[in-house]
Amino acid sequence: RWEMLQLPLVVTAQVDLLLVLVSLLAFWTRLSHLNYPNAVVFDEVYYGQFVSLYMKRVFFIDDSGPPLGHMILASGAYLGGFDGNFVWNRIGAEYPSTVNVWSLRLLPALCGALCVPLVYLLTLELKFSHLSALGAAVLLLLENSLIVQSRFMLLESVLIFFVLLAFFSYLRFHNAPSSWLILSGVSCGAAVGVKYMGLFSYLLLLVVASLHTWKLIGDKTISHMNVCVQSVHRVLCLVVVPVLLYVFWFYVHLSFLNRSGPHDQLMSSAFQASLQGGLSRITRGQPLEVAYGSQVTLRSSVSQPIPCWLHSHKVNYPIRYDNGRGSSHQQQVTCYPFKDVNNWWIIKDPGRQQLVVDTPPRPVRHGDVIQLVHGMTSRFLNSHDVAAPMSPHTQEVSGYIDFNVSMPAQNLWRVDISNREAESEVWKTILSEVRLIHVNTSAVLKLSGVSLPDWGFRQLEVVADKLFKAHSSSLEWTVEEHRYGTSQEQKEREAELHSPTHIDVDRKISFWAKFVELQWKMLTVKQEESEHKYSSSPLEWITMETNIAYWLHSSTNAQIHLIGNPVSWGVANLSLLAYQLLAVVYLLRRRRGLKDVPDGVWDQFVCLGCVCVGGWLVNFVPFLLMDKTLFLYHYLPALCYLYLLSPALLEHAHTHLLSSVTHQRALCVGALAVLLSIFLTYRTFCPLTYGSPELSAHQLQGLKWRDTWDILYRRR
């Protein structure tokens, strides 16, 4: 056997020197002097807060996207030994010596650098020449805005990297079937996991893959079994794998962030109770089953993002309101957005007088009729045919006072547990979502969402509504704090309500329940957005009428701006327009039976349009429909598709449209001139890309190529 081993061992390898060259240049432009400036740059103030929370394992919600992007940024911080102890409170704040700035920015910069060789390889997979691949790589390499966005703790470069990797690996699989398809699925899952905008590129890739699969099904040279196997393989890799990965990012996110934090109030009581600290310190060990005699606080399920609890106090409704309508003049019942002793209510059996829990406790079940007694004032929760103060189409809810014989007590409520299928018939602390239905009128207790005037201390109005048109969550209440009452006398009960309670019992919420709730909150609960100085509209991005000042030195004119390379930006727009016009001409002529190019070239041209023009459309058009604050950097993923398109379209024109050698040479000369101007423009704007060297006020004025740009400078 040893005779079979021949020495010396020889390894032959092919190295694409152009690929190596553009890769080295990409790493140099993105990673050099990465720790400059040593200060917070633009949205680093936003993402840095989440990185700090990650380091401290504190739960948070970011409605702008799923957690993978934050996990990647936090990984870079962890590698640099960051402990999360830095206050990200303003742009320009200096990083202390204990913070490894290079490490914080490393992973986005690596992703940004890898985008350049990926574009090179992707162009080859679109079956264009190495020269076109080099042109696409150079366009990305010399794009100032992409460099700026890559060099800081931001997520656009990470998103672009995974999107390009997904398309490259899919096309590599399509051109030469191999194991590349699984990498495409993983990249799709990662792209959507970084930002929701990655979903649009993922859907585009699914469309392309579906067309290829449909063509595969029609290929009669392939056996039925082979077609089925390949189709299932594509579904598993491109659908199942991304979905599983998406869920997995949240599993890691929720498993790691297990401590109470600033966003707890956005979540349900059950979710909050699963976190260490915060509400869990209050609710830990509470009795699980609500019983007759239980003392409870009832939180409205619809009170988001600010929670509120069913509340009453020793103040009555006005005899008459400002509009002349009368009230019951009974005790006010409201929803109060703060923890307060007046939020406590006692579950009472209407057939018994006692307000303490039996031994053993008698649990309250779905369908039971109860009374709710206010703990501090002993008033019964009551409703009747009196118009509510701010919502006259609904019934007033009050604390019943027995001083008016014309208004008999109407304080019976039927318990309706809406999620009883999952949580059984027993009313459970935190877990059960309950509707309280007024027995006399069949109206449901709900939060109207309207604030009361000064006489109601600006607290939220609680009403009983016979119309069930509202969203179900507006009708539901959850027992948040719960204890078994032991004091029958009022004074003893008041002292009991003021005292803390603790019983050693543990209770957890499942991952799937937390995943569904967090997903819903991210998609529906939006933080308040105000107009930003550098916000812009999508139509302004195409012509780059806007820029963003990312950083300005505290005492000099050194500064960093998100400004694209105006020449390559213009080339991209021209390429988009040229492809659309050429496609229309081709289609019309082919409709007339005139084929200007062979079928293979036509397929290549169509594939180029599906990937590049389609990629631009799915990453640009959605922003036209969004009602949110937008910035120039949102356009960068769409721009990358156009940089893929430009050299490929130029090659197509050179090879298939120009028959004259003179015209072909003129096109090549023009292309070289454009590339030279792109390089010179890149060099011109480098001081605003890297923040050095510092320019004078006069030089900065010279860089203001558009009147709409906001270039900052100090006169000296």
Side-chain angles (χ1 to χ4, degrees):
R1 295 180 180 273
W2 287 102
E3 289 77 4
M4 297 177 62
L5 181 63
Q6 297 181 358
L7 296 177
L9 296 175
V10 178
V11 176
T12 303
Q14 290 184 332
V15 179
D16 189 336
L17 294 180
L18 287 178
L19 178 61
V20 172
L21 177 62
V22 295
S23 299
L24 292 175
L25 290 174
F27 281 102
W28 178 69
T29 55
R30 270 69 174 174
L31 270 71
S32 60
H33 304 292
L34 199 58
N35 57 351
Y36 178 85
N38 189 43
V40 178
V41 174
F42 198 61
D43 269 357
E44 284 187 339
V45 75
Y46 177 75
Y47 291 111
Q49 298 174 37
F50 299 131
V51 169
S52 288
L53 293 174
Y54 244 105
M55 294 299 101
K56 298 177 180 180
R57 305 190 66 172
V58 171
F59 172 77
F60 65 85
I61 296 178
D62 177 17
D63 61 4
S64 67
L68 179 60
H70 300 302
M71 292 160 60
I72 291 173
L73 297 181
S75 299
Y78 175 78
L79 293 174
F82 181 55
D83 58 6
N85 291 321
F86 178 74
V87 180
W88 311 80
N89 56 358
R90 65 180 180 87
I91 298 173
E94 293 287 331
Y95 288 112
S97 58
T98 55
V99 176
N100 189 334
V101 181
W102 187 85
S103 175
L104 291 176
R105 297 169 177 169
L106 174 62
L107 295 182
L110 283 174
C111 289
L114 290 172
C115 288
V116 176
L118 266 179
V119 163
Y120 181 95
L121 294 170
L122 182 51
T123 305
L124 296 180
E125 294 306 321
L126 287 169
K127 299 181 180 180
F128 288 90
S129 67
H130 285 79
L131 197 59
S132 291
L134 177 63
V138 168
L139 287 176
L140 249 73
L141 179 69
L142 301 180
E143 175 49 51
N144 300 74
S145 59
L146 289 174
I147 296 174
V148 171
Q149 200 69 15
S150 300
R151 289 174 53 81
F152 301 110
M153 193 171 56
L154 308 170
L155 290 179
E156 266 62 37
S157 62
V158 182
L159 171 63
I160 294 170
F161 166 74
F162 283 122
V163 167
L164 293 176
L165 182 60
F167 273 98
F168 161 69
S169 50
Y170 172 75
L171 290 176
R172 172 63 67 91
F173 161 81
H174 176 68
N175 294 332
S178 60
S179 58
W180 284 93
L181 190 62
I182 186 68
L183 178 59
S184 180
V186 170
S187 301
C188 289
V192 179
V194 170
K195 280 201 167 189
Y196 281 128
M197 279 306 300
L199 176 64
F200 297 107
S201 291
Y202 170 49
L203 293 177
L204 174 65
L205 189 145
L206 285 182
V207 170
V208 173
S210 299
L211 293 175
H212 288 160
T213 305
W214 185 251
K215 187 175 181 180
L216 173 74
I217 294 173
D219 190 348
K220 296 183 179 180
T221 63
I222 303 176
S223 67
H224 297 318
M225 179 59 69
N226 197 4
V227 168
C228 291
V229 170
Q230 290 196 44
S231 299
V232 171
H233 179 221
R234 294 171 190 228
V235 170
L236 288 175
C237 290
L238 296 181
V239 178
V240 177
V241 168
V243 170
L244 291 178
L245 279 176
Y246 182 79
V247 175
F248 177 71
W249 309 140
F250 280 92
Y251 179 80
V252 175
H253 180 73
L254 292 171
S255 300
F256 192 77
L257 303 185
N258 59 0
R259 296 176 181 171
S260 175
H263 294 169
D264 288 13
Q265 66 180 15
L266 298 173
M267 311 306 295
S268 68
S269 301
F271 196 108
Q272 293 182 54
S274 70
L275 301 172
Q276 297 178 13
L279 181 63
S280 66
R281 289 184 297 180
I282 301 172
T283 61
R284 181 162 54 98
Q286 290 183 156
L288 176 59
E289 296 183 348
V290 177
Y292 291 104
S294 286
Q295 299 170 354
V296 301
T297 63
L298 291 163
R299 171 173 163 161
S300 171
S301 298
V302 79
S303 53
Q304 302 291 357
I306 304 300
C308 76
W309 295 266
L310 189 66
H311 175 93
S312 189
H313 42 240
K314 293 182 179 180
V315 179
N316 296 346
Y317 289 112
I319 297 176
R320 290 199 175 276
Y321 303 120
D322 292 340
N323 60 7
R325 284 193 299 111
S327 77
S328 67
H329 195 46
Q330 293 183 356
Q331 186 166 295
Q332 295 177 13
V333 172
T334 65
C335 206
Y336 190 51
F338 298 98
K339 296 285 187 179
D340 189 88
V341 71
N342 281 313
N343 297 345
W344 285 96
W345 297 82
I346 302 169
I347 310 295
K348 180 181 177 298
D349 184 346
R352 304 176 66 181
Q353 291 300 316
Q354 69 181 47
L355 297 176
V356 297
V357 175
D358 293 337
T359 305
R362 290 190 302 127
V364 180
R365 300 178 181 275
H366 170 73
D368 286 357
V369 175
I370 64 170
Q371 292 173 310
L372 284 167
V373 181
H374 189 242
M376 298 302 293
T377 65
S378 298
R379 304 303 183 196
F380 288 85
L381 185 70
N382 189 77
S383 186
H384 39 220
D385 192 17
V386 176
M390 308 305 295
S391 307
H393 58 283
T394 60
Q395 294 176 188
E396 176 192 87
V397 175
S398 63
Y400 176 70
I401 306 171
D402 190 11
F403 59 61
N404 190 338
V405 293
S406 66
M407 289 187 175
Q410 299 188 47
N411 50 33
L412 299 179
W413 301 85
R414 187 171 67 254
V415 176
D416 181 273
I417 305 175
S418 60
N419 62 341
R420 62 187 179 280
E421 294 82 7
E423 301 298 342
S424 82
E425 295 282 323
V426 176
W427 188 358
K428 294 183 179 179
T429 307
I430 290 178
L431 302 177
S432 296
E433 296 173 354
V434 173
R435 298 183 187 184
L436 295 172
I437 302 174
H438 191 237
V439 172
N440 294 62
T441 62
S442 298
V444 180
L445 187 75
K446 62 174 283 188
L447 178 68
S448 73
V450 181
S451 296
L452 296 171
D454 291 338
W455 55 257
F457 309 103
R458 298 290 174 181
Q459 295 175 19
L460 299 177
E461 181 188 43
V462 172
V463 301
D465 194 353
K466 294 181 181 179
L467 301 177
F468 300 160
K469 296 179 181 179
H471 190 274
S472 60
S473 64
S474 68
L475 310 172
E476 292 169 351
W477 301 82
T478 303
V479 171
E480 187 169 272
E481 296 179 64
H482 176 211
R483 73 178 92 200
Y484 283 159
T486 59
S487 303
Q488 181 70 24
E489 296 298 325
Q490 176 67 20
K491 290 186 178 180
E492 295 177 0
R493 188 163 61 247
E494 290 180 14
E496 184 179 0
L497 292 173
H498 278 97
S499 64
T501 182
H502 174 72
I503 305 172
D504 287 325
V505 180
D506 190 25
R507 188 165 63 253
K508 293 183 179 180
I509 182 175
S510 69
F511 160 72
W512 289 109
K514 294 175 72 174
F515 169 75
V516 171
E517 180 179 347
L518 179 57
Q519 191 68 57
W520 178 252
K521 297 298 181 187
M522 291 175 62
L523 295 174
T524 58
V525 177
K526 298 298 181 183
Q527 306 294 338
E528 291 187 8
E529 295 182 355
S530 57
E531 190 67 23
H532 194 282
K533 178 181 180 181
Y534 291 107
S535 63
S536 53
S537 67
L539 294 178
E540 293 176 314
W541 303 340
I542 297 178
T543 54
M544 204 169 64
E545 294 180 19
T546 181
N547 71 304
I548 305 176
Y550 269 21
W551 171 78
L552 175 66
H553 195 279
S554 58
S555 58
T556 71
N557 275 330
Q559 56 193 281
I560 294 175
H561 286 255
L562 186 74
I563 292 181
N565 188 313
V567 178
S568 54
W569 213 280
V571 168
N573 292 334
L574 288 175
S575 300
L576 177 63
L577 181 61
Y579 182 92
Q580 292 172 322
L581 292 175
L582 186 58
V584 169
V585 172
Y586 274 159
L587 287 171
L588 291 175
R589 289 177 60 82
R590 290 177 75 86
R591 185 63 178 167
R592 298 292 298 171
L594 302 172
K595 294 186 176 181
D596 299 286
V597 292
D599 289 341
V601 175
W602 171 248
D603 291 341
Q604 180 193 38
F605 182 81
V606 171
C607 184
L608 177 68
C610 289
V611 173
C612 298
V613 178
W616 180 84
L617 286 172
V618 299
N619 282 277
F620 175 74
V621 173
F623 288 113
L624 296 173
L625 309 176
M626 291 184 185
D627 182 21
K628 60 177 290 186
T629 304
L630 300 174
F631 297 94
L632 179 63
Y633 59 72
H634 286 123
Y635 186 62
L636 297 183
L639 181 68
C640 289
Y641 285 101
L642 297 187
Y643 285 166
L644 265 171
L645 174 67
S646 301
L649 187 61
L650 195 67
E651 178 184 335
H652 179 86
H654 178 274
T655 307
H656 303 290
L657 296 182
L658 301 179
S659 56
S660 169
V661 176
T662 303
H663 292 164
Q664 291 178 341
R665 289 177 178 174
L667 184 64
C668 292
V669 171
L672 288 174
V674 170
L675 280 177
L676 179 60
S677 62
I678 289 174
F679 173 75
L680 294 176
T681 307
Y682 156 77
R683 290 290 300 167
T684 300
F685 284 94
C686 268
L688 298 183
T689 301
Y690 295 97
S692 65
E694 178 194 355
L695 300 181
S696 65
H698 178 71
Q699 290 173 316
L700 288 170
Q701 282 181 314
L703 291 180
K704 192 173 181 180
W705 288 15
R706 297 187 70 97
D707 294 336
T708 52
W709 289 357
D710 186 17
I711 306 294
L712 311 173
Y713 55 87
R714 294 181 174 87
R715 297 185 181 276
R716 296 180 181 177

